[in-house]
Amino acid sequence: MTNINLLKHVIYFLILISCFVTKPSDASRGGIAIYWGQNGNEGNLSATCATGRYAYVNVAFLVKFGNAQTPELNLAGHCNPAANTCTHFGSQVKDCQSRGIKVMLSLGGGIGNYSIGSREDAQVVADYLWNNFLGGKSSSRPLGDAVLDGIDFNIELGSPQHWDDLARSLSKFSHRGRKVYLTGAPQCPFPDRLMGSTLNTRLFDYVWIQFYNNPPCSYTSGNTQNLFDSWNKWTTSITAQKIFLGLPAAPEGAGSGYIPPDVLTSQILPILKKSRKYGGVMLWSKFWDDKNGYSSSILASV
């Protein structure tokens, strides 16, 4: 009986070990991050998340904030924040989160009026974001009572000053019981002109680098080396949990940098995935992905 019991324990132990052995390969798989919110023809948030293709959704953009400005959310044709018609997306944020998808509010973008004037101003903006989109309370939450997972820095305009202060102020809210994820979308020239010092705070969880509209560090037809050189620079120079390859989801989605899916999956991802910091692929945007079917083409290889 003793030998039989011992054998049972050994078999149980081997089964337990096998479970843990198979998990790292699953965990090491990358995910796809998508930008949603800048085209009313891209479907709603629930439909976006129901595709099963995305692990992260950046709701874009908060286009006005800082320096005593009244913050302004722009979701293009989806709703009108000024008329308080975006609150119904709160339930859709929760729907996405119930599927295990992290939902961020993206700050900035290529149009708008935003900047941080001082360390004190950074705290004012952080408090606004906490109370209106994260775990705080406000009577004017643009997306209703949904608690987003974090804040995405897509800073493409203005001054580089005090974004690091904003990141520090936001990170402190993680001590209130629920982690506030910080993500960023710098341009691929290193260091990023506007976000360089901010990324050096070592507070960012995910960094999805825009490898487009910058030919010296992006893919151009037949040339992968510039992209590889830039990727290596980023992955060896900044501290982040995961780093993503940011791409346009269709040729029309950016001025340059589009990578045909077959080139991405056969020539580029196998090299990038050798990095322990590889997190996956970021796509601009849901609208262009719908047009081109890009995420469907690459999902199995990410």
Side-chain angles (χ1 to χ4, degrees):
M1 289 293 291
T2 303
N3 288 339
I4 292 174
N5 286 335
L6 179 63
L7 182 60
K8 286 180 178 178
H9 283 299
V10 169
I11 292 173
Y12 175 77
F13 179 75
L14 291 173
I15 292 172
L16 191 64
I17 288 295
S18 70
C19 291
F20 285 101
V21 167
T22 57
K23 282 184 178 179
S25 61
D26 295 332
S28 64
R29 284 192 59 125
I32 296 178
I34 195 77
Y35 276 87
W36 174 93
Q38 285 302 292
N39 194 300
N41 297 314
E42 64 192 342
N44 64 29
L45 267 175
S46 288
T48 296
C49 295
T51 63
R53 300 194 298 267
Y54 312 118
Y56 314 89
V57 175
N58 294 312
V59 176
F61 291 106
L62 191 72
V63 295
K64 183 187 290 187
F65 58 89
N67 285 299
Q69 298 184 100
T70 300
E72 184 177 307
L73 181 68
N74 180 320
L75 294 182
H78 288 286
C79 57
N80 181 1
N84 207 33
T85 61
C86 300
T87 55
H88 71 281
F89 282 115
S91 62
Q92 298 187 24
V93 169
K94 295 177 186 177
D95 180 34
C96 292
Q97 292 169 329
S98 73
R99 300 173 184 270
I101 298 167
K102 290 182 173 62
V103 183
M104 323 293 178
L105 173 69
S106 188
L107 310 180
I111 60 171
N113 186 0
Y114 52 87
S115 61
I116 306 294
S118 64
R119 184 176 299 177
E120 293 73 22
D121 191 30
Q123 187 62 56
V124 170
V125 172
D127 289 341
Y128 168 81
L129 294 171
W130 170 256
N131 288 320
N132 286 275
F133 294 97
L134 300 171
K137 294 190 182 300
S138 168
S139 60
S140 58
R141 291 175 66 95
L143 298 178
D145 63 352
V147 178
L148 275 63
D149 294 285
I151 301 296
D152 176 58
F153 287 56
N154 191 312
I155 308 305
E156 301 183 27
L157 302 173
S159 163
Q161 298 297 312
H162 301 295
W163 297 112
D164 55 341
D165 292 321
L166 179 60
R168 290 187 187 96
S169 295
L170 287 167
S171 71
K172 292 176 183 176
F173 288 121
S174 287
H175 302 309
R176 299 195 182 183
R178 176 170 176 165
K179 179 175 174 59
V180 174
Y181 286 84
L182 297 184
T183 70
Q187 309 285 315
C188 61
F190 185 89
D192 184 82
R193 181 179 68 86
L194 296 174
M195 293 181 58
S197 62
T198 305
L199 295 173
N200 286 338
T201 60
R202 302 188 173 193
L203 296 173
F204 283 75
D205 299 285
Y206 311 124
V207 178
W208 15 77
I209 302 159
Q210 297 184 44
F211 282 91
Y212 48 93
N213 294 333
N214 290 286
C217 54
S218 305
Y219 172 83
T220 54
S221 183
N223 179 1
T224 57
Q225 195 58 48
N226 289 348
L227 186 151
F228 290 146
D229 289 345
S230 181
W231 174 265
N232 289 335
K233 183 67 175 176
W234 278 98
T235 53
T236 57
S237 300
I238 68 165
T239 299
Q241 183 180 337
K242 294 294 181 182
I243 295 177
F244 293 66
L245 177 72
L247 299 173
E252 307 92 329
S256 64
Y258 176 77
I259 303 177
D262 60 323
V263 174
L264 180 70
T265 56
S266 66
Q267 298 181 34
I268 295 176
L269 288 183
I271 303 299
L272 270 50
K273 291 170 86 169
K274 293 178 180 179
S275 169
R276 287 182 296 175
K277 291 184 180 178
Y278 170 81
V281 175
M282 174 273 279
L283 296 177
W284 176 267
S285 61
K286 175 60 165 52
F287 174 76
W288 293 115
D289 194 29
D290 287 347
K291 293 290 186 184
N292 199 32
Y294 198 87
S295 63
S296 298
S297 301
I298 68 169
L299 183 60
S301 301
V302 171

